[in-house]
Every structure is written in structure tokens, then in C-alpha cells.
């Protein structure tokens, strides 16, 4: 039996390059990409996607929709790393740890949409709490996240590593119109009754994310405290290979969160910090925006689909 053909469409961007690096030495698949002169040839791209078993799309949203629209072979399965299909029906959300049944849904899906980098952390923290009823539907959720500049794609890499790198900003908050494209994705897949406030930022480091969500205990369900929140997350991710909830005694000793500590992995670490005196809790997620937040997640989804 021949190895499944995996076609990466858009392998020259930051996500595509890392997916290619993670897959290039594998012998259980036949990895295929287009030559430089064929990447903008619509006919050649359509031929390639219809000849593969699984296509991984690392494209801008419009190009990803175009690629999916070109599929006429019903046997072709897709992992879309763009944001084009993350809130669309008919697509399976590619966050295997999101729910007990999610890995099986991904394994059997023909259309999988990779989560966004920021939503991976936000959904990972909030969905278990919302499902358990610990966060009321009217709670005003706010999310702050800092990503490495590779989150901007090639433009961010060029700004910080190119000729004018000495003029690149050390830190920049963006999305100040409060309409970041990841916000509807977070709301839908975290199961939030109302739209959260999401404020992202870029730092002067290549990759990695720290995402935080503050909670005021008196606005949560009655009787909920830091230990309750932690127990809910720990129970949800018990036995998970790639998502770890830091034990409360360990989180009490943490003084800083390093966004780069899990770079190069497909892992995510969740923590719960609490101030019992003032009734405050801080949730945090640390992971690689190009690992669990993009390329690593795509490969994890690919492995689930191949194992079907």
C-alpha cells in the first residue's frame, strides 16, 4: 500500500515552512509541494490538490477558499491553517483537547480548520469553565495576549530580522478597534454567551505566546474560587499529552511567564494564579504560536486523520 500523499499549499510562509520541516523526514507519508514557478498557477494548484489524500492549506483566507472551491475529488481531505473556515458549519475545529470527542471528530473529518494561535489559548482556558457553569453567561470576559513577531507572518519577520531590524518596535499593542478577526472564533468555540474583549500585542521575540484572562470571583458562579477553577481545568486536561495544567503549588512559585519557554514544541501550559484576599484570579496560557498555535497543531491533526 502506497503512502498517503500530503500536499502543502503555501509552504513558503512561516506556518507552511514549519509544517514542512516537521514532515519532511517522515517515511509514512509522501510529502508534496509545488515548484516555485507553479505556486501561482491556478490550474496546477487545482491538479495538485485533487491528486492528494490530505491537503494542508497555509494560505491567506481568500486563497484558502479558492483552493477548497477547486476540489472536485470527493476523497480529498483538508486541513486549513487559515482563518477562512473557523466559524463555518461543515468544518471540524482542529483543537483535539477541546472536548472528549474532538480527537475522534478530527480523525474522521474531511474538512478540518486549524485554530488560530490566540484562540488556542483562550478557548483552552475558557471552554471548560463555561461548560461547567463556572463563568456566567453575562460575565465580561477580557483577554490579553502577547505573541512573537512571527505571528504577523513574513512581514513581521522581515521587520525584525531584515535590513531595518534596528528600528523595529520592541512592543506594540494592536487591534485597538476591538474587532480582531479571532474574536468571533473565541466566542463560538469557548461557548461564551457574549463577545469577549480581546487585546493582542506583538513583542520583539520571534515566536511564543503568553495569553492571560483575569477573573473577578464575586462575578462568577456562587462559591467558585481559585481552587475550583483550577480543579475544573485539571480535570478537563487530565491525561492530555500536549496540554498541561500547572499544579497550584507550582503556580504559586511562578514570578514571571516566559512566552518562549515552549517554543519548538506542540505543548501548551495553563496556569491559575489567585489572590484570595481580593477575590481575583488570573488564567494564563503559554505556548508556541508556530507550534500548538499553528504548525504543530496542523501536524497533530494530520496524525489523527492518518490514523483513521
Amino acid at each position: 500500500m502506497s503512502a498517503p500523499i500530503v500536499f502543502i499549499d503555501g509552504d513558503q510562509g512561516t506556518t507552511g515552512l514549519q509544517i514542512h520541516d516537521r514532515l519532511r523526514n517522515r517515511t509514512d507519508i509522501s510529502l508534496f509541494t509545488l515548484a516555485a514557478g507553479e505556486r501561482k498557477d491556478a490550474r496546477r494548484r487545482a491538479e495538485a490538490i485533487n491528486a492528494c489524500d490530505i491537503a494542508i492549506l497555509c494560505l491567506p483566507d481568500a486563497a484558502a477558499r479558492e483552493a477548497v472551491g477547486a476540489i472536485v475529488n470527493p476523497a480529498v481531505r483538508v486541513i486549513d491553517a487559515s482563518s477562512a473556515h473557523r466559524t463555518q458549519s461543515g468544518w471540524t475545529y482542529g483543537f483535539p483537547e477541546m472536548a472528549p470527542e474532538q480527537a475522534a471528530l478530527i480523525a474522521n473529518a474531511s474538512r478540518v480548520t486549524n485554530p488560530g494561535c490566540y484562540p488556542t489559548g483562550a478557548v483552552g482556558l475558557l471552554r471548560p469553565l463555561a461548560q461547567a457553569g463556572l463563568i456566567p453567561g453575562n460575565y465580561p470576559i477580557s483577554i490579553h495576549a502577547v505573541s512573537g513577531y512571527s505571528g504577523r507572518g513574513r512581514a513581521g519577520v522581515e521587520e525584525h530580522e531584515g535590513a531595518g531590524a534596528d528600528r523595529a518596535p520592541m512592543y506594540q499593542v494592536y487591534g485597538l478597534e476591538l474587532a480582531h478577526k479571532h474574536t468571533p472564533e473565541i466566542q463560538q468555540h469557548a461557548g461564551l454567551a457574549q463577545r469577549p474583549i480581546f487585546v493582542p500585542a506583538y513583542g520583539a521575540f520571534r515566536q511564543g505566546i503568553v495569553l492571560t484572562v483575569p477573573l473577578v470571583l464575586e462575578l462568577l458562579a456562587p462559591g467558585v474560587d481559585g481552587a475550583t477553577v483550577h480543579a475544573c481545568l485539571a480535570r478537563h486536561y487530565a491525561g492530555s499529552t500536549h496540554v498541561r495544567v500547572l499544579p497550584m503549588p507550582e503556580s504559586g512559585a511562578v514570578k514571571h511567564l516566559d512566552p518562549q519557554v515552549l517554543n519548538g514544541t506542540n505543548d501548551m501550559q495553563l496556569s491559575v494564579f489567585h489572590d484570595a484576599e481580593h477575590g481575583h484570579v488570573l488564567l494564563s496560557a503559554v505556548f508556541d504560536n508556530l507550534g500548538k498555535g499553528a504548525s504543530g497543531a496542523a501536524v497533530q491533526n494530520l496524525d489523527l486523520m492518518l490514523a483513521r
Side-chain angles (χ1 to χ4, degrees):
M1 185 175 179
S2 59
I5 299 173
V6 175
F7 168 50
I8 304 176
D9 193 356
D11 64 307
Q12 296 305 301
T14 52
T15 297
L17 283 169
Q18 289 215 2
I19 291 174
H20 191 276
D21 284 346
R22 289 169 184 256
L23 296 178
R24 63 182 176 181
N25 293 323
R26 287 181 47 165
T27 58
D28 61 324
I29 61 173
S30 177
L31 190 61
F32 178 68
T33 60
L34 289 174
E38 298 178 318
R39 291 176 192 143
K40 295 185 179 181
D41 184 331
R43 180 188 61 81
R44 185 69 188 96
R45 289 177 59 217
E47 289 175 350
I49 201 168
N50 281 286
C52 75
D53 295 291
I54 299 178
I56 304 177
L57 308 181
C58 304
L59 303 165
D61 288 4
R65 294 188 187 99
E66 179 184 314
V68 173
I71 298 174
V72 295
N73 180 354
V76 173
R77 306 168 76 195
V78 178
I79 300 170
D80 183 10
S82 83
S83 63
H85 301 103
R86 290 177 185 157
T87 59
Q88 285 196 3
S89 61
W91 286 76
T92 299
Y93 197 57
F95 186 178
E97 299 86 2
M98 183 176 80
E101 70 280 3
Q102 201 67 19
L105 291 174
I106 293 166
N108 291 290
S110 62
R111 299 289 183 269
V112 173
T113 176
N114 235 40
C117 56
Y118 294 128
T120 298
V123 173
L125 288 168
L126 293 169
R127 183 184 174 97
L129 305 180
Q131 285 197 322
L134 303 187
I135 299 178
N138 62 351
Y139 189 94
I141 293 287
S142 62
I143 303 162
H144 181 262
V146 183
S147 169
Y149 56 77
S150 60
R152 287 183 58 203
R154 279 184 285 184
V157 173
E158 176 61 28
E159 181 179 36
H160 285 266
E161 299 179 10
D166 58 325
R167 299 187 298 275
M170 294 300 293
Y171 182 85
Q172 49 188 326
V173 177
Y174 67 105
L176 300 180
E177 72 287 353
L178 302 180
H180 192 282
K181 67 179 181 178
H182 285 166
T183 308
E185 178 186 349
I186 293 170
Q187 181 179 359
Q188 177 174 315
H189 294 293
L192 303 178
Q194 60 183 21
R195 182 183 178 94
I197 295 175
F198 172 51
V199 182
Y202 290 126
F205 52 95
R206 195 176 206 276
Q207 60 196 82
I209 284 179
V210 168
L211 179 144
T212 55
V213 181
L215 298 174
V216 178
L217 291 178
E218 66 180 17
L219 300 180
L220 301 182
V224 173
D225 59 12
T228 311
V229 171
H230 181 272
C232 179
L233 292 173
R235 185 166 55 250
H236 183 88
Y237 295 106
S240 171
T241 301
H242 294 292
V243 181
R244 177 179 183 245
V245 180
L246 195 69
M248 288 288 273
E250 289 186 41
S251 65
V254 171
K255 302 304 179 187
H256 305 93
L257 291 171
D258 180 357
Q260 303 178 85
V261 71
L262 293 176
N263 281 1
T265 77
N266 190 46
D267 298 333
M268 179 164 65
Q269 180 171 288
L270 309 181
S271 301
V272 178
F273 305 97
H274 70 120
D275 176 356
E277 180 183 356
H278 299 99
H280 293 164
V281 163
L282 183 69
L283 310 177
S284 73
V286 176
F287 56 105
D288 184 353
N289 62 294
L290 294 180
K292 188 61 172 167
S295 307
V299 174
Q300 185 181 358
N301 290 328
L302 173 66
D303 287 339
L304 288 168
M305 296 168 77
L306 290 171
R308 183 183 69 169

